[in-house]
Amino acid sequence: FEEFFLFSVYLRELAGSKETKTSEFVFENASECDALITNLPYELTGDQKKVWEEIIMAAKSTLLNMVVCLSAVCLVCSAVLAVANAVTVEPIAQAQVAKTNASIAQVLPEFSGNADKGSIEYAGVSYDYYKAEGAGYAVVSNVTGFSGTLSVMVGVDLNGNVHNTAVLAQSETPGLGAKCTEEGFAAQFRGWDPAVKVLAVKKDGGDVDAITASTITSRAYTLAIANALAVTKEIIANEG
């Protein structure tokens, strides 16, 4: 509520200046104002009530009418935003959990129960992962693509092979790098055995078919998988 504090300070400064200028804006303590406060879905805090009382008192001075009106608008807007946040925060969190669980199910072999979340630091970078008993590990691997961060969940089975991958977030160029989310590109990594195939784009001597005109994105996606494989080895080593 820094804004309210600054408004309060400004009101006091104006009041102390003893200026006698008038304003064409008129603010009245109408019953609608009291009704608005009364009908809020929650009770104002002590500080908010104090600010509102100062606004009403300051409204008696025609010099401060404009500032008072702005203060009132800010108070009401902050209340509305607070209610909106309280109403939406839980559904957003639930949607994120559902999205994560769906991605885990997509990248790992079928398993029962819930995957256990963990985190590990590897090569100076922190990685989140999910361990599913009898299935493998789903590692969240973040790399830099052409247009920003490319976040890929990589499923590694118990044999150390890539079971499947899923893009969690990307900002690559539509029609070019954004094709990394399409089956035509991602399908080639399904069942990838790093002991048999070289995890690099063909332009770099590997076995990965890059997206046309999107070598940077293709390299980034490949790197995300390579990092996930290395992280999985580290996880297993630590568990052993």
Short mmCIF file of all heavy atoms in Angstrom, two decimals, residues 61-121:
data_model
loop_
_atom_site.label_atom_id
_atom_site.label_comp_id
_atom_site.label_asym_id
_atom_site.label_seq_id
_atom_site.Cartn_x
_atom_site.Cartn_y
_atom_site.Cartn_z
N SER A 61 -11.80 20.10 1.71
CA SER A 61 -11.01 21.20 1.17
C SER A 61 -11.10 21.18 -0.35
O SER A 61 -10.74 20.20 -0.99
CB SER A 61 -9.54 21.05 1.60
OG SER A 61 -8.73 21.98 0.91
N THR A 62 -11.60 22.28 -0.95
CA THR A 62 -11.76 22.31 -2.40
C THR A 62 -10.42 22.23 -3.11
O THR A 62 -10.34 21.79 -4.25
CB THR A 62 -12.48 23.61 -2.82
OG1 THR A 62 -11.75 24.73 -2.32
CG2 THR A 62 -13.90 23.63 -2.29
N LEU A 63 -9.33 22.65 -2.44
CA LEU A 63 -8.01 22.59 -3.06
C LEU A 63 -7.59 21.16 -3.34
O LEU A 63 -6.89 20.89 -4.30
CB LEU A 63 -6.99 23.27 -2.13
CG LEU A 63 -5.51 23.15 -2.54
CD1 LEU A 63 -5.29 23.85 -3.86
CD2 LEU A 63 -4.63 23.73 -1.46
N LEU A 64 -8.06 20.23 -2.50
CA LEU A 64 -7.58 18.85 -2.60
C LEU A 64 -8.55 17.92 -3.31
O LEU A 64 -8.37 16.71 -3.31
CB LEU A 64 -7.31 18.31 -1.19
CG LEU A 64 -6.32 19.11 -0.35
CD1 LEU A 64 -6.19 18.48 1.02
CD2 LEU A 64 -4.98 19.21 -1.03
N ASN A 65 -9.61 18.48 -3.90
CA ASN A 65 -10.63 17.62 -4.49
C ASN A 65 -10.08 16.65 -5.53
O ASN A 65 -10.45 15.47 -5.55
CB ASN A 65 -11.72 18.48 -5.13
CG ASN A 65 -12.69 19.02 -4.09
OD1 ASN A 65 -12.77 18.50 -2.99
ND2 ASN A 65 -13.40 20.08 -4.44
N MET A 66 -9.22 17.15 -6.40
CA MET A 66 -8.72 16.30 -7.46
C MET A 66 -7.90 15.13 -6.90
O MET A 66 -8.06 13.98 -7.29
CB MET A 66 -7.86 17.10 -8.44
CG MET A 66 -7.37 16.28 -9.63
SD MET A 66 -6.39 17.25 -10.80
CE MET A 66 -7.61 18.45 -11.33
N VAL A 67 -7.01 15.45 -5.95
CA VAL A 67 -6.19 14.41 -5.34
C VAL A 67 -7.06 13.42 -4.58
O VAL A 67 -6.82 12.22 -4.59
CB VAL A 67 -5.14 15.03 -4.40
CG1 VAL A 67 -4.33 13.96 -3.69
CG2 VAL A 67 -4.22 15.95 -5.18
N VAL A 68 -8.09 13.92 -3.91
CA VAL A 68 -8.99 13.06 -3.15
C VAL A 68 -9.69 12.07 -4.06
O VAL A 68 -9.81 10.88 -3.76
CB VAL A 68 -10.02 13.91 -2.38
CG1 VAL A 68 -11.13 13.03 -1.85
CG2 VAL A 68 -9.33 14.64 -1.24
N CYS A 69 -10.17 12.56 -5.18
CA CYS A 69 -10.86 11.68 -6.13
C CYS A 69 -9.94 10.56 -6.60
O CYS A 69 -10.34 9.39 -6.66
CB CYS A 69 -11.38 12.48 -7.33
SG CYS A 69 -12.73 13.61 -6.92
N LEU A 70 -8.71 10.92 -6.92
CA LEU A 70 -7.75 9.91 -7.36
C LEU A 70 -7.46 8.90 -6.25
O LEU A 70 -7.32 7.70 -6.49
CB LEU A 70 -6.45 10.58 -7.81
CG LEU A 70 -6.53 11.41 -9.10
CD1 LEU A 70 -5.20 12.12 -9.35
CD2 LEU A 70 -6.88 10.53 -10.29
N SER A 71 -7.37 9.40 -5.03
CA SER A 71 -7.13 8.51 -3.89
C SER A 71 -8.27 7.52 -3.73
O SER A 71 -8.04 6.33 -3.48
CB SER A 71 -6.96 9.33 -2.61
OG SER A 71 -5.87 10.21 -2.72
N ALA A 72 -9.49 8.00 -3.85
CA ALA A 72 -10.66 7.14 -3.71
C ALA A 72 -10.66 6.07 -4.79
O ALA A 72 -10.95 4.89 -4.53
CB ALA A 72 -11.94 7.97 -3.77
N VAL A 73 -10.34 6.47 -6.01
CA VAL A 73 -10.30 5.50 -7.11
C VAL A 73 -9.26 4.42 -6.83
O VAL A 73 -9.50 3.23 -7.04
CB VAL A 73 -9.98 6.22 -8.44
CG1 VAL A 73 -9.70 5.19 -9.53
CG2 VAL A 73 -11.16 7.09 -8.85
N CYS A 74 -8.08 4.83 -6.34
CA CYS A 74 -7.02 3.87 -6.05
C CYS A 74 -7.44 2.90 -4.95
O CYS A 74 -7.15 1.71 -5.02
CB CYS A 74 -5.74 4.60 -5.63
SG CYS A 74 -4.92 5.45 -7.00
N LEU A 75 -8.13 3.41 -3.93
CA LEU A 75 -8.58 2.56 -2.83
C LEU A 75 -9.55 1.50 -3.33
O LEU A 75 -9.42 0.31 -3.02
CB LEU A 75 -9.24 3.41 -1.75
CG LEU A 75 -9.82 2.64 -0.56
CD1 LEU A 75 -8.70 1.95 0.19
CD2 LEU A 75 -10.59 3.56 0.36
N VAL A 76 -10.52 1.93 -4.14
CA VAL A 76 -11.51 1.00 -4.65
C VAL A 76 -10.86 -0.02 -5.59
O VAL A 76 -11.15 -1.22 -5.53
CB VAL A 76 -12.64 1.75 -5.39
CG1 VAL A 76 -13.58 0.77 -6.06
CG2 VAL A 76 -13.40 2.63 -4.42
N CYS A 77 -9.95 0.46 -6.45
CA CYS A 77 -9.29 -0.45 -7.39
C CYS A 77 -8.46 -1.49 -6.66
O CYS A 77 -8.43 -2.66 -7.05
CB CYS A 77 -8.40 0.33 -8.36
SG CYS A 77 -9.33 1.29 -9.57
N SER A 78 -7.78 -1.07 -5.59
CA SER A 78 -6.96 -2.03 -4.84
C SER A 78 -7.85 -3.09 -4.20
O SER A 78 -7.48 -4.27 -4.14
CB SER A 78 -6.15 -1.31 -3.77
OG SER A 78 -6.99 -0.78 -2.76
N ALA A 79 -9.02 -2.69 -3.75
CA ALA A 79 -9.95 -3.65 -3.15
C ALA A 79 -10.43 -4.65 -4.19
O ALA A 79 -10.50 -5.86 -3.95
CB ALA A 79 -11.14 -2.91 -2.54
N VAL A 80 -10.76 -4.15 -5.38
CA VAL A 80 -11.23 -5.03 -6.45
C VAL A 80 -10.14 -6.02 -6.85
O VAL A 80 -10.39 -7.21 -7.05
CB VAL A 80 -11.67 -4.19 -7.67
CG1 VAL A 80 -11.98 -5.10 -8.86
CG2 VAL A 80 -12.90 -3.36 -7.32
N LEU A 81 -8.90 -5.51 -6.98
CA LEU A 81 -7.79 -6.39 -7.37
C LEU A 81 -7.52 -7.44 -6.30
O LEU A 81 -7.20 -8.59 -6.61
CB LEU A 81 -6.53 -5.55 -7.61
CG LEU A 81 -6.55 -4.68 -8.86
CD1 LEU A 81 -5.29 -3.81 -8.91
CD2 LEU A 81 -6.64 -5.53 -10.13
N ALA A 82 -7.65 -7.05 -5.04
CA ALA A 82 -7.43 -8.00 -3.95
C ALA A 82 -8.45 -9.13 -4.00
O ALA A 82 -8.13 -10.31 -3.83
CB ALA A 82 -7.50 -7.28 -2.61
N VAL A 83 -9.71 -8.77 -4.25
CA VAL A 83 -10.77 -9.78 -4.35
C VAL A 83 -10.52 -10.69 -5.55
O VAL A 83 -10.65 -11.91 -5.47
CB VAL A 83 -12.14 -9.10 -4.46
CG1 VAL A 83 -13.22 -10.14 -4.74
CG2 VAL A 83 -12.46 -8.35 -3.18
N ALA A 84 -10.16 -10.07 -6.69
CA ALA A 84 -9.92 -10.86 -7.90
C ALA A 84 -8.78 -11.85 -7.69
O ALA A 84 -8.85 -13.01 -8.12
CB ALA A 84 -9.60 -9.93 -9.07
N ASN A 85 -7.73 -11.40 -7.01
CA ASN A 85 -6.59 -12.29 -6.75
C ASN A 85 -7.00 -13.44 -5.83
O ASN A 85 -6.62 -14.59 -6.06
CB ASN A 85 -5.46 -11.49 -6.11
CG ASN A 85 -4.26 -12.35 -5.79
OD1 ASN A 85 -3.56 -12.81 -6.67
ND2 ASN A 85 -4.02 -12.58 -4.51
N ALA A 86 -7.77 -13.12 -4.80
CA ALA A 86 -8.20 -14.16 -3.85
C ALA A 86 -9.07 -15.20 -4.53
O ALA A 86 -9.01 -16.40 -4.21
CB ALA A 86 -8.96 -13.51 -2.69
N VAL A 87 -9.87 -14.74 -5.50
CA VAL A 87 -10.79 -15.65 -6.18
C VAL A 87 -10.07 -16.54 -7.19
O VAL A 87 -10.43 -17.70 -7.39
CB VAL A 87 -11.91 -14.85 -6.88
CG1 VAL A 87 -12.75 -15.75 -7.78
CG2 VAL A 87 -12.81 -14.17 -5.84
N THR A 88 -9.04 -16.02 -7.84
CA THR A 88 -8.40 -16.75 -8.94
C THR A 88 -7.13 -17.50 -8.57
O THR A 88 -6.72 -18.38 -9.32
CB THR A 88 -8.04 -15.77 -10.08
OG1 THR A 88 -7.13 -14.77 -9.59
CG2 THR A 88 -9.29 -15.09 -10.62
N VAL A 89 -6.51 -17.18 -7.44
CA VAL A 89 -5.22 -17.79 -7.13
C VAL A 89 -5.31 -19.30 -7.00
O VAL A 89 -4.44 -20.04 -7.50
CB VAL A 89 -4.62 -17.16 -5.85
CG1 VAL A 89 -5.49 -17.44 -4.63
CG2 VAL A 89 -3.21 -17.68 -5.62
N GLU A 90 -6.35 -19.80 -6.35
CA GLU A 90 -6.48 -21.24 -6.18
C GLU A 90 -6.77 -21.97 -7.49
O GLU A 90 -6.12 -22.99 -7.78
CB GLU A 90 -7.59 -21.54 -5.16
CG GLU A 90 -7.71 -23.02 -4.80
CD GLU A 90 -6.46 -23.58 -4.15
OE1 GLU A 90 -5.70 -22.79 -3.56
OE2 GLU A 90 -6.24 -24.80 -4.23
N PRO A 91 -7.72 -21.50 -8.32
CA PRO A 91 -7.94 -22.16 -9.61
C PRO A 91 -6.70 -22.18 -10.50
O PRO A 91 -6.44 -23.16 -11.20
CB PRO A 91 -9.06 -21.32 -10.24
CG PRO A 91 -9.80 -20.76 -9.08
CD PRO A 91 -8.73 -20.45 -8.07
N ILE A 92 -5.92 -21.09 -10.46
CA ILE A 92 -4.70 -21.04 -11.27
C ILE A 92 -3.71 -22.08 -10.79
O ILE A 92 -3.08 -22.79 -11.59
CB ILE A 92 -4.07 -19.63 -11.19
CG1 ILE A 92 -4.95 -18.62 -11.94
CG2 ILE A 92 -2.67 -19.63 -11.79
CD1 ILE A 92 -4.48 -17.20 -11.84
N ALA A 93 -3.57 -22.21 -9.47
CA ALA A 93 -2.65 -23.21 -8.91
C ALA A 93 -3.10 -24.62 -9.27
O ALA A 93 -2.28 -25.48 -9.62
CB ALA A 93 -2.58 -23.05 -7.39
N GLN A 94 -4.39 -24.87 -9.20
CA GLN A 94 -4.92 -26.19 -9.54
C GLN A 94 -4.70 -26.52 -11.01
O GLN A 94 -4.37 -27.65 -11.37
CB GLN A 94 -6.41 -26.26 -9.21
CG GLN A 94 -6.71 -26.21 -7.71
CD GLN A 94 -8.18 -26.20 -7.41
OE1 GLN A 94 -9.02 -26.08 -8.31
NE2 GLN A 94 -8.54 -26.31 -6.14
N ALA A 95 -4.86 -25.51 -11.87
CA ALA A 95 -4.65 -25.71 -13.31
C ALA A 95 -3.20 -26.05 -13.60
O ALA A 95 -2.89 -26.88 -14.45
CB ALA A 95 -5.09 -24.47 -14.08
N GLN A 96 -2.28 -25.39 -12.88
CA GLN A 96 -0.86 -25.65 -13.07
C GLN A 96 -0.50 -27.07 -12.64
O GLN A 96 0.28 -27.76 -13.30
CB GLN A 96 -0.03 -24.64 -12.27
CG GLN A 96 1.47 -24.78 -12.47
CD GLN A 96 1.88 -24.61 -13.92
OE1 GLN A 96 1.44 -23.68 -14.59
NE2 GLN A 96 2.72 -25.51 -14.42
N VAL A 97 -1.07 -27.51 -11.53
CA VAL A 97 -0.82 -28.88 -11.05
C VAL A 97 -1.35 -29.89 -12.06
O VAL A 97 -0.69 -30.89 -12.37
CB VAL A 97 -1.49 -29.10 -9.68
CG1 VAL A 97 -1.44 -30.57 -9.29
CG2 VAL A 97 -0.80 -28.26 -8.61
N ALA A 98 -2.54 -29.63 -12.59
CA ALA A 98 -3.13 -30.53 -13.58
C ALA A 98 -2.28 -30.60 -14.85
O ALA A 98 -2.08 -31.68 -15.43
CB ALA A 98 -4.55 -30.07 -13.93
N LYS A 99 -1.75 -29.45 -15.27
CA LYS A 99 -0.90 -29.40 -16.46
C LYS A 99 0.38 -30.20 -16.23
O LYS A 99 0.82 -30.95 -17.10
CB LYS A 99 -0.56 -27.95 -16.80
CG LYS A 99 0.35 -27.81 -18.02
CD LYS A 99 0.67 -26.34 -18.30
CE LYS A 99 1.62 -26.22 -19.50
NZ LYS A 99 1.95 -24.80 -19.78
N THR A 100 0.97 -30.05 -15.05
CA THR A 100 2.20 -30.77 -14.73
C THR A 100 1.96 -32.28 -14.71
O THR A 100 2.74 -33.05 -15.27
CB THR A 100 2.75 -30.31 -13.37
OG1 THR A 100 3.06 -28.92 -13.43
CG2 THR A 100 4.01 -31.09 -13.01
N ASN A 101 0.87 -32.70 -14.06
CA ASN A 101 0.56 -34.13 -13.98
C ASN A 101 0.31 -34.73 -15.36
O ASN A 101 0.71 -35.86 -15.65
CB ASN A 101 -0.65 -34.35 -13.08
CG ASN A 101 -0.34 -34.10 -11.62
OD1 ASN A 101 0.82 -34.17 -11.20
ND2 ASN A 101 -1.36 -33.78 -10.84
N ALA A 102 -0.35 -33.95 -16.23
CA ALA A 102 -0.61 -34.42 -17.59
C ALA A 102 0.69 -34.59 -18.36
O ALA A 102 0.86 -35.54 -19.13
CB ALA A 102 -1.54 -33.44 -18.31
N SER A 103 1.62 -33.67 -18.15
CA SER A 103 2.92 -33.75 -18.84
C SER A 103 3.71 -34.96 -18.35
O SER A 103 4.36 -35.65 -19.14
CB SER A 103 3.71 -32.46 -18.62
OG SER A 103 3.05 -31.35 -19.18
N ILE A 104 3.67 -35.20 -17.05
CA ILE A 104 4.37 -36.37 -16.49
C ILE A 104 3.82 -37.65 -17.09
O ILE A 104 4.58 -38.55 -17.49
CB ILE A 104 4.24 -36.39 -14.96
CG1 ILE A 104 4.93 -35.18 -14.35
CG2 ILE A 104 4.81 -37.69 -14.38
CD1 ILE A 104 4.69 -35.01 -12.85
N ALA A 105 2.50 -37.74 -17.16
CA ALA A 105 1.87 -38.93 -17.73
C ALA A 105 2.22 -39.08 -19.21
O ALA A 105 2.29 -40.21 -19.73
CB ALA A 105 0.35 -38.85 -17.56
N GLN A 106 2.44 -37.98 -19.89
CA GLN A 106 2.77 -38.02 -21.32
C GLN A 106 4.19 -38.50 -21.58
O GLN A 106 4.44 -39.22 -22.54
CB GLN A 106 2.58 -36.62 -21.93
CG GLN A 106 2.96 -36.54 -23.40
CD GLN A 106 2.81 -35.12 -23.96
OE1 GLN A 106 2.07 -34.31 -23.41
NE2 GLN A 106 3.52 -34.83 -25.03
N VAL A 107 5.12 -38.13 -20.70
CA VAL A 107 6.54 -38.40 -21.00
C VAL A 107 7.06 -39.69 -20.37
O VAL A 107 8.17 -40.13 -20.70
CB VAL A 107 7.44 -37.23 -20.55
CG1 VAL A 107 6.99 -35.93 -21.23
CG2 VAL A 107 7.44 -37.06 -19.04
N LEU A 108 6.27 -40.30 -19.47
CA LEU A 108 6.74 -41.53 -18.82
C LEU A 108 5.82 -42.70 -19.14
O LEU A 108 4.66 -42.51 -19.49
CB LEU A 108 6.77 -41.34 -17.30
CG LEU A 108 7.89 -40.47 -16.72
CD1 LEU A 108 7.72 -40.33 -15.21
CD2 LEU A 108 9.25 -41.03 -17.06
N PRO A 109 6.35 -43.93 -19.02
CA PRO A 109 5.49 -45.11 -19.18
C PRO A 109 4.39 -45.08 -18.13
O PRO A 109 4.52 -44.41 -17.10
CB PRO A 109 6.46 -46.28 -18.96
CG PRO A 109 7.82 -45.72 -19.24
CD PRO A 109 7.76 -44.29 -18.78
N GLU A 110 3.35 -45.81 -18.36
CA GLU A 110 2.22 -45.83 -17.43
C GLU A 110 2.68 -46.30 -16.05
O GLU A 110 3.45 -47.24 -15.91
CB GLU A 110 1.12 -46.75 -17.96
CG GLU A 110 -0.15 -46.72 -17.13
CD GLU A 110 -1.26 -47.55 -17.75
OE1 GLU A 110 -1.09 -48.01 -18.89
OE2 GLU A 110 -2.29 -47.73 -17.08
N PHE A 111 2.20 -45.62 -15.02
CA PHE A 111 2.54 -45.98 -13.65
C PHE A 111 1.35 -45.71 -12.75
O PHE A 111 0.42 -44.98 -13.11
CB PHE A 111 3.77 -45.20 -13.16
CG PHE A 111 3.57 -43.71 -13.11
CD1 PHE A 111 3.14 -43.08 -11.95
CD2 PHE A 111 3.80 -42.91 -14.24
CE1 PHE A 111 2.95 -41.71 -11.89
CE2 PHE A 111 3.62 -41.53 -14.20
CZ PHE A 111 3.19 -40.93 -13.02
N SER A 112 1.39 -46.31 -11.56
CA SER A 112 0.30 -46.10 -10.60
C SER A 112 0.77 -45.17 -9.50
O SER A 112 1.97 -45.04 -9.23
CB SER A 112 -0.14 -47.44 -10.00
OG SER A 112 0.95 -48.08 -9.35
N GLY A 113 -0.18 -44.52 -8.84
CA GLY A 113 0.17 -43.61 -7.77
C GLY A 113 0.61 -42.26 -8.29
O GLY A 113 0.37 -41.91 -9.46
N ASN A 114 1.26 -41.50 -7.44
CA ASN A 114 1.72 -40.16 -7.79
C ASN A 114 3.24 -40.11 -7.88
O ASN A 114 3.94 -40.84 -7.17
CB ASN A 114 1.26 -39.14 -6.75
CG ASN A 114 -0.25 -39.04 -6.67
OD1 ASN A 114 -0.92 -39.03 -7.70
ND2 ASN A 114 -0.79 -38.96 -5.46
N ALA A 115 3.73 -39.26 -8.77
CA ALA A 115 5.17 -39.07 -8.91
C ALA A 115 5.65 -38.14 -7.80
O ALA A 115 4.99 -37.16 -7.46
CB ALA A 115 5.50 -38.49 -10.27
N ASP A 116 6.79 -38.47 -7.22
CA ASP A 116 7.36 -37.67 -6.14
C ASP A 116 8.26 -36.58 -6.72
O ASP A 116 9.16 -36.86 -7.51
CB ASP A 116 8.17 -38.55 -5.19
CG ASP A 116 7.31 -39.59 -4.49
OD1 ASP A 116 6.15 -39.26 -4.15
OD2 ASP A 116 7.78 -40.72 -4.30
N LYS A 117 8.03 -35.35 -6.27
CA LYS A 117 8.82 -34.23 -6.78
C LYS A 117 10.12 -34.09 -6.02
O LYS A 117 10.18 -34.28 -4.81
CB LYS A 117 8.03 -32.93 -6.68
CG LYS A 117 8.76 -31.72 -7.27
CD LYS A 117 7.91 -30.46 -7.20
CE LYS A 117 8.66 -29.27 -7.80
NZ LYS A 117 7.85 -28.03 -7.76
N GLY A 118 11.17 -33.74 -6.75
CA GLY A 118 12.46 -33.49 -6.13
C GLY A 118 13.20 -32.42 -6.91
O GLY A 118 12.72 -31.95 -7.94
N SER A 119 14.34 -32.03 -6.42
CA SER A 119 15.16 -31.04 -7.13
C SER A 119 16.62 -31.41 -6.92
O SER A 119 16.99 -32.02 -5.91
CB SER A 119 14.88 -29.63 -6.63
OG SER A 119 15.19 -29.51 -5.25
N ILE A 120 17.44 -31.03 -7.87
CA ILE A 120 18.86 -31.35 -7.81
C ILE A 120 19.64 -30.26 -8.53
O ILE A 120 19.14 -29.65 -9.48
CB ILE A 120 19.14 -32.73 -8.47
CG1 ILE A 120 20.61 -33.13 -8.27
CG2 ILE A 120 18.77 -32.70 -9.94
CD1 ILE A 120 20.91 -34.54 -8.77
N GLU A 121 20.83 -30.01 -8.06
CA GLU A 121 21.69 -29.05 -8.74
C GLU A 121 22.74 -29.81 -9.53
O GLU A 121 23.42 -30.69 -9.01
CB GLU A 121 22.37 -28.12 -7.73
CG GLU A 121 23.19 -27.02 -8.40
CD GLU A 121 23.65 -25.95 -7.43
OE1 GLU A 121 22.82 -25.52 -6.60
OE2 GLU A 121 24.83 -25.55 -7.51
#
